[in-house]
Amino acid sequence: MRSFVRRILTWRAAGIVLVAVVTTVLAARSFDRRVARAFESAERQSPTRVFARPLVLRTGDRVDAERVSDRLTRTGYRPTSSRSPGVGEFRIRDREWRIGRRPLRIGAFFDAGGATTIRLDRSGRIRDITDAAGERLSGLVIDPEEIATFRGPRGRDRIPVRLDEVPRHLIDAVITTEDRRFLSHSGLDPRRIAGAFMANIREGRFAQGGSTVTQQLARTLFLNRDRKVMRKIREAAIASSLERSFPKERLLSAYLNHIYLGQDGGAAIHGVGRAARFFFAKDVTELSVDESAMLAGIIRGPSVYSPHRHPERARVRRDLVLRLMNGAGKLTDDGLATALSAELSIVPPSRVASDARWFFDYLERELAAADAPDGDASGLTVISTLEPRLQHLAGEAVTRGLERLERMRPRLAQQSQPLQAALVAIDPWTGEILALVGGRSYSESQFNRATGARRQPGSAFKPIVALAALARDADDGFTLASTLEDEPFSIDTPQGPWRPGNADREFHGEMSLREALEESRNVPFARLGIEIGPERIVETARRLGVSSPLAPYPALALGASEVSLLELTSAYAVLAAEGQRTEPHSVRSALDPSGRRVDDIGAVRTSQAFSAAEAYLVTSALRGVIENGTGRAVRDLGYHGPVAAKSGTTNGSRDAWFVGYTPEIAVGVWVGFDDGTPVGLTGSQAALPVFTGFLRAALGSDGDADFRMPGGLEWRQVARAGDRRWTCDGHAELFLDGTAPRDSCYGWGGRWRGDRGRSAGQLLEDAEEWLRSRRYELDRPVRIERNRGGRRNR
């Protein structure tokens, strides 16, 4: 009986042990799975890095030496007189440029760099591009500037690198200093733990840790730095789990990519990739032995051994690491002597230009609106549309423009709120936002007045009205020569009688549509808006990309509905791009952490909103604004290149606008107070100088390419408005093919116009009299024709 009981107890004990073992194993496996998932998730997390619009040089491109030199200097290259520039140096001489390209890392993309030669022909175009071996290259990407980093809630900044990209001497320095038995232990090193324990007893305090590389990795990824027993136990458990789940190479790679190495303001520097860039302005592949020893030495105490704050301590620590490497057989005696004699080559921390922060805010919202991988933008490499040079010039133009206005009108500086201005510059052909300034000072107000504020544009809206009337599909058949009346009128609206007036409170009688736009006459455009209909204007604005609510009332023709500066500037950009509309955007492309392009980010839609000929009609009239109308001050202020533009001023002079474009850039400027306090100046007085200052700085006084006149247009001689003589002593006007009256100055009828106040018989008698005075013989009856839709042309 007793034997039977003993057997039962034995089996029960064995069962309990078995259950305990199985439970422990299952718990360990569950723990390992949780740790592995957390580890893989942590490895994927890295900041989103944003780069400026890259400068790409291709064979056949016309290039400007000053702009290329400026870009190279801004990205850290140094000019040299040597015929063989070193890495990070360049030499520009006449028609031969030499660049010692640095390794280029953009996300997962890596280019080892090397010597490159660019040769130009006599016209200033690139003839060929060759590498160090003399092989021809089709193009060359100049290092884009890193302009922003979105680090996420933990504030960690790192640049992931592959283990095979890390120099061997850096790996040796880290292993020798931090964990010599890394390749042989299983996450814990008893000898190191015992040594640290004895050292702490001798010191009477916690003076030395025994953590292995794997334990440090566990602490960095999952724990804090508290020196408590439970934290150490959890650290040991996680380290053991990592060793069971992943090979040594994976763990070492993760350690080198995540170890904490210092602080850059509010950003924690993690990993050797970011640390190499932060301390030495180098890619990790370029590090020398002494620089690798410096990084390895920092690991023990990033604050204590910071080369920025304590350069002498950092040097002493570096030298200790070098001697340890020599003692471990990882560095020769000659190599030790050379590395010990090397001077510290630490670069000061770089700072992102503050004048681009409105752009970064806009870009961050654009990323948030896109379908980024895993539901967020973590680890993306974003190529933005920002052109740093233009952004800097835009900020300067706004600052100087506001200072000038306040000097001229001291009352503007005496208001309860500061005078504000905004500027946006767009590439009309791609929709890329090249520069964006949202106000006077980002530190004082982060509100983006270029994108977030909607204000009445006043006369700056008139080009949209003109396009609505001039487009071929318009029912009324207006042309630039159509006669409009600048005479007072009144119409009843649901809000009461509407009596539009001109800014100068005068009326000039009959004038052409072109003249009304050039001179910014309100009354003729109010009449035009009524004739074509507010709904037609709304439709045209929508086709140009304006999405703000637009009230379909008569006052819409005079810019009574509110729009943003970005909207209006992008609408003008459609005219600059010959009717092609591309949505304005701040992101060119985005790469995920593996280097694959994210299709949903940076994808834009392009459409032909209007024909090139229709767009050019408005461009022609807006060029007249600069030469003959309200924009003449652009010339007075020193810009002489091709440009089309329009000013805008709202009732009470609360908002001042000036928006225009060249064939290569569209620019909009707004000036005003946030609370609507009257500025007391027109768009030509307040916003035009800012516009012109930016354009001169960006393109030079003479600008660049001229506008191209597309097909589908014809010039015809026309009489001037109000001229009742049947003569051809007028001027040339531009028409869409088929819209000009059939008779011309080269036939009998000249470019005379129908007149609403006179009968057809009277017009016939006048025409016959004019013909006889010119000694023409009438061999057939004269037929009077009106332009399409009954609109009068001259």
Side-chain angles (χ1 to χ4, degrees), residues 483-703:
T483 299
L484 304 177
E485 293 182 0
D486 187 10
E487 295 292 350
F489 74 97
S490 174
I491 63 171
D492 293 329
T493 70
Q495 291 76 33
W498 184 56
R499 300 182 181 89
N502 294 313
D504 59 7
R505 301 183 181 180
E506 296 180 357
F507 300 93
H508 295 172
E510 294 180 343
M511 59 176 48
S512 69
L513 194 159
R514 176 189 286 275
E515 290 167 338
L517 185 55
E518 288 180 353
E519 298 173 17
S520 197
R521 308 299 295 176
N522 289 339
V523 174
F525 260 83
R527 292 180 181 273
L528 180 64
I530 292 170
E531 292 212 41
I532 63 176
E535 293 78 9
R536 168 73 181 175
I537 298 172
V538 172
E539 178 200 356
T540 300
R542 296 289 181 244
R543 289 168 67 183
L544 291 171
V546 177
S547 59
S548 291
L550 300 175
Y553 300 130
L556 176 63
L558 304 184
S561 289
E562 296 179 340
V563 297
S564 73
L565 178 62
L566 179 61
E567 279 182 303
L568 193 59
T569 306
S570 62
Y572 276 60
V574 176
L575 302 174
E578 300 182 356
Q580 174 185 293
R581 181 199 165 204
T582 306
E583 295 178 1
H585 54 283
S586 60
V587 177
R588 266 194 159 194
S589 61
L591 307 177
D592 66 17
S594 65
R596 292 188 299 269
R597 179 164 184 159
V598 182
D599 294 332
D600 294 330
I601 301 179
V604 295
R605 293 189 296 271
T606 298
S607 62
Q608 194 68 36
F610 292 89
S611 72
E614 291 167 336
Y616 190 81
L617 282 180
V618 181
T619 295
S620 173
L622 294 182
R623 297 187 75 176
V625 170
I626 301 297
E627 306 302 338
N628 309 309
T630 56
R632 288 187 296 269
V634 169
R635 300 305 190 205
D636 298 335
L637 292 175
Y639 182 75
H640 307 295
V643 61
K646 185 71 186 73
S647 61
T649 311
T650 54
N651 289 338
S653 299
R654 289 181 173 84
D655 301 282
W657 300 69
F658 201 83
V659 187
Y661 53 91
T662 74
E664 55 193 311
I665 190 171
V667 181
V669 175
W670 168 86
V671 177
F673 287 97
D674 287 341
D675 61 0
T677 298
V679 178
L681 299 170
T682 66
S684 294
Q685 293 171 320
L688 180 151
V690 179
F691 174 94
T692 307
F694 172 74
L695 210 59
R696 281 190 62 190
L699 303 180
S701 297
D702 297 324

Side-chain angles (χ1 to χ4, degrees), residues 265-289:
I269 303 300
H270 282 258
V272 295
R274 181 67 184 96
R277 185 68 63 187
F278 178 63
F279 291 116
F280 308 112
K282 289 183 175 182
D283 189 81
V284 69
T285 59
E286 299 178 272
L287 292 177
S288 61
V289 173

Side-chain angles (χ1 to χ4, degrees), residues 279-390:
F279 291 116
F280 308 112
K282 289 183 175 182
D283 189 81
V284 69
T285 59
E286 299 178 272
L287 292 177
S288 61
V289 173
D290 60 286
E291 291 166 342
S292 293
M294 174 76 74
L295 291 187
I298 291 173
I299 294 173
R300 181 176 179 182
S303 177
V304 175
Y305 299 113
S306 167
H308 288 142
R309 298 172 58 188
H310 307 293
E312 190 54 38
R313 286 185 198 168
R315 179 197 293 275
V316 172
R317 178 67 179 167
R318 178 203 70 177
D319 292 352
L320 174 61
V321 173
L322 290 170
R323 292 189 175 93
L324 290 174
M325 292 174 66
N326 176 254
K330 302 297 183 182
L331 184 63
T332 65
D333 292 341
D334 291 341
L336 173 64
T338 300
L340 289 173
S341 64
E343 295 294 328
L344 293 183
S345 55
I346 305 300
V347 298
S350 61
R351 293 286 178 263
V352 173
S354 61
D355 58 5
R357 285 181 290 184
W358 282 292
F359 177 89
F360 303 150
D361 290 347
Y362 183 82
L363 180 143
E364 194 168 15
R365 287 195 297 273
E366 188 172 324
L367 289 177
D371 294 327
D374 299 328
D376 58 35
S378 178
L380 293 179
T381 298
V382 177
I383 307 300
S384 78
T385 64
L386 185 76
E387 173 54 63
R389 172 178 167 271
L390 295 183

Side-chain angles (χ1 to χ4, degrees), residues 221-238:
L221 293 181
F222 308 117
L223 304 171
N224 56 38
R225 300 184 68 85
D226 291 342
R227 294 183 174 182
K228 296 181 179 179
V229 175
M230 284 306 300
R231 195 271 293 167
K232 293 296 290 183
I233 292 173
R234 288 195 295 269
E235 177 185 295
I238 294 172

